[in-house]
Amino acid sequence: MTDADERRVNKALQGLEFPADKAELIRYAEDREADPRTLRALRALPDGTYGNSDEVERSVPQRPEQETPGR
């Protein structure tokens, strides 16, 4: 994940109360009208619950655009 990706993810999740699972992260970002690249990065996350935005950042694959669609 690039620095720009990290900034987009942080912005999309700003104000979210953690812990949150993958579905909650995506739903929150969608509600905030996050851009498609940010949503793609969040959809590429492994299933699970995240304690804070740092955990989310560390868990996004390096190249989320290459992840399998529908994840």
Side-chain angles (χ1 to χ4, degrees), residues 25-39:
L25 298 173
I26 294 168
R27 194 167 36 251
Y28 189 82
E30 287 173 338
D31 289 348
R32 295 192 57 161
E33 299 180 359
D35 67 88
R37 288 181 67 183
T38 301
L39 292 172

Side-chain angles (χ1 to χ4, degrees), residues 1-3 9 14 20-21 28 36 44 47 54 67-68:
M1 179 151 73
T2 67
D3 289 342
V9 167
Q14 204 168 27
D21 65 24
Y28 189 82
D47 288 334
D54 290 336
E67 290 297 305
T68 306

Side-chain angles (χ1 to χ4, degrees), residues 4 6 10 13 15 22 25-26 29 34 36 39 50 56 70:
E6 288 179 13
N10 276 332
L13 299 180
K22 178 181 173 178
L25 298 173
I26 294 168
L39 292 172
Y50 297 87
V56 174

